[in-house]
Amino acid sequence: MKTLPQRLIAILVLLVFFISSPLYAMASAPEDGFADLAERLLPSVVNISTKQTIVQEMDAPEFEFQVPPGSPFEDFFKEFKKRYEETNPQGDEPTPQKKHKVASLGSGFVIDPKGYVVTNLHVIQDAEEITVILQDDTNLRATVVGRDKRTDLAVLKVDSKKPLTAVSFGDSDKVRIGDWILAIGNPFGLGGTVTKGIISARARDINSGPYDDYLQTDAPINRGNSGGPMFNMKGEVIGVNTAIFSPSGGSVGIGFAIPSVMAKNVVQQLIEHGETKRGWLGVRIQEVTQEIADSMEMGKARGALVSSVTEGGPAAAAGFNVGDVVIAFDGKLITEMQKLPRIVAETDVGKTVNVTLLRKGKELTLKVKVGKLEQEDEEEGQAEAPAKKSVIKSDKIDLLGINVAQLTDELRKKYDLGKGVSGLLIVSVQTSGLAADFGLKEGDVISQVAQADVVTSEQLKAAAEKQKKEGKPLLILVDRKGDLRFIAIPLADDKKKD
């Protein structure tokens, strides 16, 4: 049995070990606080003031008649109103307009003593005048060097009589959840404001664009902080504060920043070329859900599923097929769909890379020469044609709750389908059926079933019954006005278990 002094010594040893451990060090704030770091960084952060002219239409004054019923002047005013409206028909005169200047405020930071400033594109979007305000209240007129809509970044240039205090980018890939950070910006136009917090999460997708990979923080970020820097404890920029989640409009502890690894690459290209040069693969992709993974016997869901291949694009030239799953690109694992667009975009145009695919259960590697993403290559949604009702000879697929028909010239014309579209046309959908639950609509075309082309209803029925018997989801490829998408439909047994 240990004596009391021995126990005290043991406790002291454990306490010293804990305090000196990396885990404790990460969880603790700097011993001297953040004052020295903030003092060093504040001169590099700027306020950005913009002005633009807003044209507002004014309502034309209406001629109102307010005559008490039964008044001896009632008939007179009715006749006067009638003549007034005949001689002043609505629409003859242009709607009066009022022009006025609107000012807005944001944040930015200096990355070069020569005067290059980074901010968010939405901070300076449509601005007619841009003014950069330094910490000492010096006002400098700014010009736009380049802008990138896809990442919401912009680079400005100011001319200063004295060198500006600049900061450098750090490596956001080395940032870990729980690391301390400082955010500096211009919230609500109050001027340089410092807030602290930690990295709450990484790789956040907030549906703002194809390259979403945000750092999340609990540091207070409010309106006006947009474009400001997020610093690590070394004073390096690891993110550009861009968005917040807030029902109230103020900080609720959920802010998002563009990681520096992405921002640095975009900023360099904007300074050098005035635009970005991104890699392009020439495919449309979708998420591999667990249901899709099960239907393809992949095991764990991973990678990016190719739903269409652009004719004449790099992927087509390399031999990509619809239904391939990209699991690695240029040596980088694609653990989830969202990673592929960013990795491809950051790859040098013209570089030949190895791409690893899963094709019908087998792994293969193709060599692809990366192309250049042009503006017209950006995908845009297409409006759906209204459903058209008519009597069509069709077959019922009970398991899915749909009626399908083979494509004919008449049906292609009726549903505005090109000659290149093949498969079975869905002519009706039962509202209580499985197909309706998964969003299938009249006018959709089922072009593949279980990664095989389908042209007859018998093929579709047989595949559905086979998958149900084996307890696997039915994987179909749906063509909706040129937008191809894989859908895995679970075919549950009709027998209910108690």
Side-chain angles (χ1 to χ4, degrees):
M1 181 176 179
K2 293 182 179 179
T3 63
L4 183 58
Q6 289 176 320
R7 290 180 178 176
L8 288 174
I9 292 172
I11 292 172
L12 287 172
V13 170
L14 289 174
L15 185 59
V16 170
F17 173 78
F18 174 71
I19 292 176
S20 63
S21 68
L23 178 63
Y24 181 83
M26 283 194 306
S28 302
E31 292 183 3
D32 299 330
F34 302 92
D36 290 342
L37 185 60
E39 184 178 4
R40 174 162 61 91
L41 298 175
L42 270 167
S44 65
V45 183
V46 301
N47 299 336
I48 296 177
S49 173
T50 65
K51 291 182 180 180
Q52 66 180 105
T53 302
I54 299 295
V55 179
Q56 183 179 5
E57 292 187 353
M58 301 172 61
D59 294 332
E62 295 184 1
F63 198 101
E64 296 185 0
F65 297 88
Q66 297 179 354
V67 182
S71 167
F73 296 101
E74 184 176 7
D75 291 339
F76 169 77
F77 275 103
K78 283 183 178 179
E79 181 65 22
F80 184 79
K81 178 181 179 182
K82 179 181 178 183
R83 292 184 179 181
Y84 173 82
E85 291 176 344
E86 288 175 350
T87 56
N88 295 273
Q90 187 176 6
D92 279 8
E93 296 294 330
T95 304
Q97 294 181 333
K98 180 181 179 181
K99 295 182 179 181
H100 57 96
K101 292 276 188 180
V102 174
S104 60
L105 297 170
S107 305
F109 55 98
V110 181
I111 59 167
D112 191 306
K114 297 178 181 178
Y116 287 108
V117 176
V118 175
T119 187
N120 281 139
L121 174 58
H122 74 259
V123 170
I124 55 97
Q125 186 75 42
D126 300 324
E128 296 169 2
E129 298 179 18
I130 305 173
T131 303
V132 168
I133 306 171
L134 306 182
Q135 187 191 22
D136 61 3
D137 290 331
T138 300
N139 284 237
L140 302 173
R141 184 62 62 88
T143 57
V144 179
V145 175
R147 59 186 77 201
D148 182 55
K149 183 178 180 181
R150 293 182 179 93
T151 57
D152 191 23
L153 288 169
V155 176
L156 310 177
K157 181 70 167 62
V158 296
D159 292 324
S160 175
K161 295 180 180 179
K162 59 181 179 180
L164 302 179
T165 302
V167 289
S168 58
F169 284 107
D171 188 350
S172 56
D173 284 346
K174 294 181 179 179
V175 174
R176 299 191 297 171
I177 295 173
D179 281 350
W180 282 103
I181 61 98
L182 286 187
I184 304 181
N186 180 26
F188 302 111
L190 293 173
T193 299
V194 181
T195 56
K196 70 173 177 63
I198 63 169
I199 296 294
S200 305
R202 293 176 52 91
R204 286 299 196 206
D205 180 0
I206 62 174
N207 297 313
S208 67
Y211 310 123
D212 279 16
D213 189 30
Y214 288 96
L215 299 174
Q216 181 182 324
T217 181
D218 65 345
I221 294 175
N222 293 284
R223 293 177 181 175
N225 275 100
S226 289
M230 174 189 286
F231 293 104
N232 61 17
M233 292 298 97
K234 295 180 181 179
E236 299 169 330
V237 178
I238 57 167
V240 182
N241 300 319
T242 298
I244 62 172
F245 173 81
S246 174
S248 64
S251 174
V252 295
I254 302 178
F256 303 99
I258 302 167
S260 60
V261 170
M262 180 187 299
K264 182 179 180 180
N265 181 47
V266 171
V267 167
Q268 286 177 340
Q269 292 193 50
L270 291 179
I271 292 174
E272 293 175 9
H273 311 293
E275 63 177 359
T276 52
K277 295 182 179 181
R278 289 192 170 91
W280 177 57
L281 189 56
V283 294
R284 295 191 68 177
I285 57 173
Q286 68 179 82
E287 179 187 3
V288 179
T289 63
Q290 191 56 53
E291 290 79 13
I292 290 177
D294 292 341
S295 68
M296 300 175 71
E297 299 182 349
M298 288 176 53
K300 183 180 179 181
R302 57 189 171 127
L305 178 59
V306 177
S307 59
S308 68
V309 181
T310 304
E311 185 177 353
F320 278 60
N321 290 341
V322 171
D324 289 343
V325 178
V326 181
I327 58 174
F329 185 93
D330 196 19
K332 302 177 181 69
L333 294 179
I334 308 299
T335 54
E336 53 190 17
M337 178 202 70
Q338 196 66 20
K339 285 190 174 184
L340 183 60
R342 182 169 68 89
I343 293 174
V344 173
E346 293 174 353
T347 304
D348 292 338
V349 175
K351 181 180 180 181
T352 299
V353 301
N354 290 327
V355 181
T356 305
L357 308 172
L358 285 178
R359 178 178 293 173
K360 296 184 178 180
K362 296 182 179 180
E363 190 173 306
L364 71 154
T365 300
L366 300 178
K367 288 189 178 296
V368 182
K369 185 177 181 180
V370 177
K372 181 176 182 282
L373 180 67
E374 304 291 350
Q375 188 68 30
E376 58 269 21
D377 293 323
E378 188 172 8
E379 298 292 347
E380 295 182 357
Q382 296 182 0
E384 296 176 11
K388 306 175 183 181
K389 303 291 183 181
S390 63
V391 178
I392 300 171
K393 183 180 178 181
S394 62
D395 295 318
K396 187 176 182 181
I397 311 296
D398 291 316
L399 281 176
L400 301 178
I402 56 175
N403 281 58
V404 297
Q406 290 184 308
L407 286 170
T408 62
D409 291 340
E410 182 181 355
L411 289 177
R412 289 182 188 278
K413 183 177 180 181
K414 180 180 178 65
Y415 288 92
D416 191 24
L417 301 173
K419 292 183 178 180
V421 178
S422 62
L424 292 172
L425 174 70
I426 298 178
V427 295
S428 65
V429 180
Q430 298 174 17
T431 56
S432 59
L434 276 174
D437 292 342
F438 285 83
L440 294 180
K441 300 178 180 181
E442 177 186 348
D444 289 346
V445 176
I446 301 176
S447 59
Q448 284 188 7
V449 177
Q451 293 189 283
D453 294 341
V454 59
V455 292
T456 68
S457 58
E458 287 75 16
Q459 290 175 316
L460 179 56
K461 288 179 182 178
E465 290 170 357
K466 178 177 180 293
Q467 294 300 96
K468 181 179 180 182
K469 184 178 179 180
E470 295 179 358
K472 299 177 182 177
L474 179 68
L475 184 66
I476 61 175
L477 178 61
V478 178
D479 187 333
R480 178 176 293 172
K481 300 297 180 185
D483 182 9
L484 282 82
R485 177 161 292 271
F486 284 96
I487 300 175
I489 302 178
L491 301 174
D493 199 316
D494 293 333
K495 295 180 181 181
K496 303 293 183 182
K497 294 183 180 180
D498 296 332

